[in-house]
Amino acid sequence: FSAKSKLVLCFQVVDLLRYFSWAEPQLKAMKALQHKMVAVHPAEVVNILNCFTFSKDKLVALELLASNIVDAQNSRPIEDLFRINMSEKKRCKRVLEQAFKAGCKAPHAMISSCGTIPGNPYPKGKPSRINGIFPGTPLKKDGEECTNEGKGIAARILGPSKPVCLENK
């Protein structure tokens, strides 16, 4: 992500996490997005955590989100997700207490009149609708190795496990 790219809202994170069917790539996506997200309220944190099936994965995601939580002292909805296992509940409380002490580090969303965060979401130009490549990114030539450069967030998060090559024909 470039410093100029737009910030990520809660519903965008939820939409992205639903593309993945297991926790490992979801957590990779969360790690990649944690410093690009705007401040989130406890109810929004619950929406994000509900994308994960197992509570151990929810706890890891909560730790990644901790510095983005606004109003962490009113975190009852988050704590309610971990009401079964006592050790998980204690770990959740510890994470939320640390988040409250440290305060929210994420910028607050500034929604414009058209409902979006101001700023250019495509600082390098819009990707092509035909091949998904950003302007100025060369297509793969014969004998060249595949990269995930300019292929979108999912390809960059998943890395070399699912390479996408576009060839000149």
Side-chain angles (χ1 to χ4, degrees):
F1 301 100
S2 73
K4 292 182 181 178
S5 65
K6 78 176 188 177
L7 296 170
V8 181
L9 297 170
C10 171
F11 71 88
Q12 292 171 315
V13 173
V14 171
D15 287 345
L16 176 68
L17 293 177
R18 289 188 178 145
Y19 279 100
F20 302 108
S21 58
W22 67 98
E24 184 183 350
Q26 286 179 323
L27 290 172
K28 282 184 180 180
M30 288 293 304
K31 190 168 184 137
L33 292 174
Q34 79 183 104
H35 298 296
K36 298 299 292 177
M37 287 182 60
V38 296
V40 289
H41 292 275
E44 295 171 315
V45 173
V46 169
N47 289 339
I48 293 170
L49 296 181
N50 280 331
C51 294
F52 296 89
T53 305
F54 300 107
S55 56
K56 66 181 177 82
D57 299 321
K58 290 179 184 186
L59 281 169
V60 173
L62 178 61
E63 289 173 344
L64 293 171
L65 284 172
S67 64
N68 296 33
I69 300 174
V70 176
D71 199 21
Q73 69 270 22
N74 294 320
S75 57
R76 179 67 186 238
I78 300 169
E79 291 176 31
D80 287 345
L81 290 175
F82 303 99
R83 63 178 173 259
I84 306 295
N85 185 315
M86 192 52 101
S87 66
E88 290 174 348
K89 187 172 188 158
K90 286 180 183 176
R91 185 172 162 194
C92 171
K93 277 189 173 275
R94 264 195 320 270
V95 169
L96 293 171
E97 285 171 6
Q98 289 172 346
F100 176 64
K101 287 177 188 172
C104 179
K105 306 282 189 245
H108 293 272
M110 298 182 305
I111 307 298
S112 71
S113 59
C114 63
T116 60
I117 297 176
N120 182 4
Y122 302 108
K124 294 181 180 178
K126 262 190 164 177
S128 164
R129 287 181 180 230
I130 297 167
N131 60 20
I133 293 181
F134 286 98
T137 305
L139 291 174
K140 179 186 173 279
K141 293 184 175 67
D142 290 337
E144 240 182 271
E145 213 172 289
C146 294
T147 69
N148 288 327
E149 182 68 31
K151 302 288 191 308
I153 188 168
R156 283 183 266 154
I157 291 168
L158 290 176
S161 62
K162 297 193 181 211
V164 177
C165 293
L166 300 170
E167 297 181 20
N168 290 332
K169 299 241 175 178

